[in-house]
Amino acid sequence: MPTMVRIIDRRFDSKNKSAVNRQRFFRRFKQQIRKAVADAIDGRSIRDVDNGESVSIPTKDISEPQFGLGRGGEWETVFSGNDQFAAGDEVDRPLGGGGGSGKGKASNEGEGEDDFVFQLSREEFLDVFFDDLALPNLVKTQLAAIPEYKLQRAGFTSSGTPANINIVRSLRGALGRRLAIGSPYSADLREAQDALAELRKKHPDSHPDIQDLLEKIESLRAKIEGIPFIDKVDLRYNNRIRVPKPSTRAVMFCVMDVSGSMDEEKKATAKRFFMLLYLFLTRNYEKIEVVFIRHHTVAKEVDEEDFFHSRESGGTVVSSALELMKDIIRERYATSLWNIYGAQASDGDNWENDSPRCRELLAEGILPFVQHFAYIEITPGEPQNLWREYEKLQGSFGNFAMQRIEALANIYPVFRELFKKTSA
């Protein structure tokens, strides 16, 4: 006789069960969700990276374990014969018939399940996308003049709203007031009571002063009892003041090569990297300023629209961009107040005589004043002359990093390597 198994879920049913279950689902299928997000990025524009996404997980990855009865012992079964196949023949895979998911031709037989599809919100999508990323060495902080404030406890005040009343402090003040006002009366009362006791010892029958003392004692008790238990002057309220929130001020320089040697594919790769970087900065750091510099033979500071969409091109003199970056730092961003970061994207094909100049500019005019500088060389071939010059700086400066991008698929791994979290 088969045995019936019953499983009863006695876990606490939280009022936020839906949110709790969703987070549990994310933890369980973290790897599948990460892969789905990476696949989604390949099929969309970087400009749309901060939107939500419909994520599909194969049914086989979310199948649950089930209890079943094993088939043991000896048993026989009869198969119908056929006149088309013999033992050892290989059967071709059936054509069409996607078994769900909307693929293949229609059929009047067979069944299957669609992949499990759920919607990631914008925040959930970016949390997966930016998992474990942070700008390195962000250590300098200061109180900046920003419009955001926080409330901070600052003692007590004698006026306020009933919601902010401090009961303990008010009762303490009331007790002190009653003691201060009633102390003289209490002292007179004790003296009158002592005099009355002495007088009654000497004159147990009667004495004219006894009645006077009794009236005085009654009067003093009435004055003490007439002191109010709590008065308006006793009330104390919790005082809160607005203070500016400490914030981190940082500036990120985006330097992109738009010379003739940078073909459309390389420019598209650079644009994707910088769009990813820009989104990362604006999401994780509130007080971040971004400076866009594009260059060929001449460098220009441009806005975001021109940085990504202008079609101007020319020769290659990388030092012009580094000179401009150095000048902007000196004029607008004091190193004692700002955390300065830079990222440079190029194919490395620079004018031969200019590459040593670029190395000197970095070593003397930029790296001593920045928190971090990353150089990204976009080329599928051998490293170019700019890369070889920059390699000479790696052993001398710990705030300098270099990576190469050979294809679009390398953008995200390179980005993670350049801006991964480091221990304090």
Side-chain angles (χ1 to χ4, degrees):
M1 181 176 180
T3 303
M4 180 171 291
V5 178
R6 293 184 178 179
I7 299 177
I8 301 176
D9 187 355
R10 298 189 184 277
R11 291 174 295 184
F12 176 69
D13 189 4
S14 170
K15 63 180 180 179
N16 296 320
K17 186 175 181 179
S18 177
V20 172
N21 288 344
R22 188 173 180 87
Q23 294 302 317
R24 187 183 296 118
F25 176 84
F26 284 172
R27 290 193 299 269
R28 181 174 180 182
F29 300 104
K30 190 172 185 178
Q31 296 301 324
Q32 292 93 329
I33 293 175
R34 280 182 173 176
K35 183 178 183 303
V37 168
D39 294 340
I41 291 299
D42 292 338
R44 64 159 62 176
S45 169
I46 289 292
R47 289 187 293 271
D48 300 327
V49 71
D50 60 340
N51 293 336
E53 178 69 21
S54 292
V55 174
S56 176
I57 297 181
T59 306
K60 64 181 179 65
D61 290 339
I62 59 173
S63 58
E64 299 285 349
Q66 298 179 351
F67 292 100
L69 298 176
R71 197 170 188 180
E74 297 181 359
W75 52 279
E76 296 181 356
T77 184
V78 178
F79 296 96
S80 59
N82 70 83
D83 56 359
Q84 299 179 4
F85 304 102
D89 288 349
E90 294 184 357
V91 181
D92 294 334
R93 184 186 299 275
L95 299 177
S101 304
K103 299 179 180 178
K105 296 181 180 180
S107 173
N108 63 349
E109 53 186 45
E111 62 181 18
E113 286 187 59
D114 286 335
D115 291 346
F116 176 71
V117 180
F118 66 99
Q119 184 71 25
L120 281 179
S121 68
R122 176 182 180 273
E123 291 299 318
E124 292 168 341
F125 184 88
L126 291 178
D127 283 340
V128 176
F129 190 76
F130 289 119
D131 192 19
D132 296 333
L133 295 181
L135 282 176
N137 305 324
L138 195 58
V139 294
K140 288 187 271 183
T141 58
Q142 70 165 18
L143 288 176
I146 56 176
E148 293 189 6
Y149 294 85
K150 65 178 180 180
L151 291 177
Q152 179 175 298
R153 288 287 300 272
F156 305 95
T157 180
S158 58
S159 61
T161 61
N164 289 332
I165 191 170
N166 189 294
I167 297 177
V168 174
R169 192 77 178 195
S170 299
L171 292 178
R172 186 185 301 173
L175 177 61
R177 176 187 53 80
R178 293 199 307 272
L179 290 175
I181 297 176
S183 292
Y185 300 142
S186 299
D188 292 344
L189 178 61
R190 287 193 297 271
E191 290 179 2
Q193 289 175 336
D194 292 342
L196 179 62
E198 289 293 332
L199 192 59
R200 281 180 171 172
K201 288 180 181 179
K202 296 178 180 179
H203 306 280
D205 296 333
S206 64
H207 191 277
D209 294 336
I210 292 179
Q211 187 61 34
D212 293 339
L213 288 173
L214 290 175
E215 292 178 358
K216 182 179 180 179
I217 289 173
E218 188 65 25
S219 175
L220 290 172
R221 285 176 175 171
K223 289 180 179 180
I224 293 174
E225 293 176 358
I227 300 174
F229 179 78
I230 191 166
D231 195 83
K232 186 176 181 180
V233 297
D234 303 325
L235 298 180
R236 293 295 180 267
Y237 302 86
N238 295 324
N239 187 31
R240 293 180 174 88
I241 59 175
R242 296 172 70 230
V243 296
K245 298 172 77 173
S247 68
T248 302
R249 303 178 68 182
V251 57
M252 184 77 194
F253 284 84
C254 298
V255 182
M256 183 169 66
D257 183 358
V258 294
S259 63
S261 60
M262 288 281 288
D263 56 28
E264 289 302 319
E265 183 178 354
K266 293 178 181 178
K267 290 180 181 179
T269 301
K271 290 176 183 178
R272 284 174 178 264
F273 179 86
F274 281 118
M275 184 61 75
L276 181 62
L277 176 59
Y278 180 71
L279 179 60
F280 166 67
L281 293 174
T282 55
R283 170 173 166 77
N284 288 276
Y285 302 95
E286 293 180 348
K287 296 299 293 183
I288 288 284
E289 292 191 14
V290 182
V291 178
F292 297 100
I293 298 177
R294 49 181 285 136
H295 72 89
H296 38 84
T297 55
V298 178
K300 294 181 181 179
E301 181 182 359
V302 296
D303 58 19
E304 181 183 354
E305 181 69 20
D306 289 340
F307 185 79
F308 289 114
H309 302 295
S310 177
R311 302 183 64 85
E312 183 182 357
S313 184
T316 310
V317 180
V318 178
S319 62
S320 62
L322 300 180
E323 288 276 10
L324 179 58
M325 177 179 174
K326 184 183 71 171
D327 293 340
I328 293 175
I329 291 174
R330 184 176 63 251
E331 295 172 3
R332 303 205 309 247
Y333 301 103
T335 55
S336 60
L337 301 176
W338 289 86
N339 299 279
I340 304 173
Y341 297 87
Q344 178 186 1
S346 173
D347 63 350
D349 187 11
N350 188 27
W351 180 39
E352 193 71 30
N353 295 334
D354 188 59
S355 294
R357 172 62 179 159
C358 295
R359 174 174 52 81
E360 293 175 2
L361 281 171
L362 273 181
E364 299 173 6
I366 294 179
L367 291 180
F369 308 104
V370 302
Q371 299 295 104
H372 191 72
F373 189 94
Y375 171 65
I376 305 97
E377 186 162 293
I378 306 171
T379 176
E382 293 295 324
Q384 300 298 309
N385 55 12
L386 190 60
W387 176 278
R388 291 193 294 271
E389 287 293 333
Y390 279 0
E391 276 186 321
K392 301 175 183 179
L393 301 174
Q394 283 192 299
S396 304
F397 295 92
N399 59 344
F400 179 64
M402 300 170 59
Q403 288 289 329
R404 297 179 66 232
I405 296 179
E406 298 183 359
L408 287 176
N410 300 136
I411 293 179
Y412 188 48
V414 166
F415 182 83
R416 289 181 63 92
E417 183 65 25
L418 290 174
F419 297 98
K420 64 184 178 182
K421 284 182 179 177
T422 56
S423 58

